Amino acid sequence: MATLHVNDQDFDTTVLNGDAPVLVDFWAPWCGPCRVMGPVVDEVAEEVSGRAKVVKVNVDKAQSSAAKYGIQSIPSFVVLKGGEVQEKFVGVVTKEKLLETLKPHLN
């Protein structure tokens, strides 16, 4: 399953509904570090396909969703399960760090 792109209108339906853990990447196209993380996030999406969702939220187009999770710096990553925040971190990280963070939450 590829990375999903969501906005404020479909955030709740796509991210909060379901039992699978969700890695949310809050980013923006003008953010250099976010562009660096793009391919890494896509690789993680492929590796956890069927066990977790990976979504990208453009903070310029989904300001309410970003505000709801207190996003002040990007890239920011939030791991949600059952609608609850499990993990939250900011900045450029390795693929291994993303997978390691998701691992305890995988079904």
Side-chain angles (χ1 to χ4, degrees), residues 59-92:
V59 296
D60 291 336
K61 295 182 178 178
Q63 293 176 355
S64 327
S65 298
K68 180 178 178 178
Y69 292 97
I71 303 305
Q72 297 186 6
S73 298
I74 52 174
S76 281
F77 300 93
V78 178
V79 177
L80 296 158
K81 189 166 186 179
E84 300 291 320
V85 175
Q86 305 295 314
E87 312 266 353
K88 187 174 175 182
F89 50 99
V90 178
V92 174

Side-chain angles (χ1 to χ4, degrees), residues 4-95:
L4 303 170
H5 292 266
V6 298
N7 56 36
D8 284 340
Q9 288 71 39
D10 56 5
F11 187 90
D12 287 355
T13 307
T14 306
V15 175
L16 302 180
N17 294 342
D19 296 330
V22 183
L23 172 65
V24 183
D25 172 10
F26 288 95
W27 72 288
W30 47 263
C31 165
C34 299
R35 288 196 309 269
V36 168
M37 287 303 301
V40 176
V41 172
D42 291 340
E43 286 178 30
V44 169
E46 289 300 322
E47 286 202 27
V48 299
S49 180
R51 298 179 294 154
K53 284 186 195 174
V54 177
V55 301
K56 291 184 179 185
V57 177
N58 180 336
V59 296
D60 291 336
K61 295 182 178 178
Q63 293 176 355
S64 327
S65 298
K68 180 178 178 178
Y69 292 97
I71 303 305
Q72 297 186 6
S73 298
I74 52 174
S76 281
F77 300 93
V78 178
V79 177
L80 296 158
K81 189 166 186 179
E84 300 291 320
V85 175
Q86 305 295 314
E87 312 266 353
K88 187 174 175 182
F89 50 99
V90 178
V92 174
V93 295
T94 63
K95 176 178 154 186

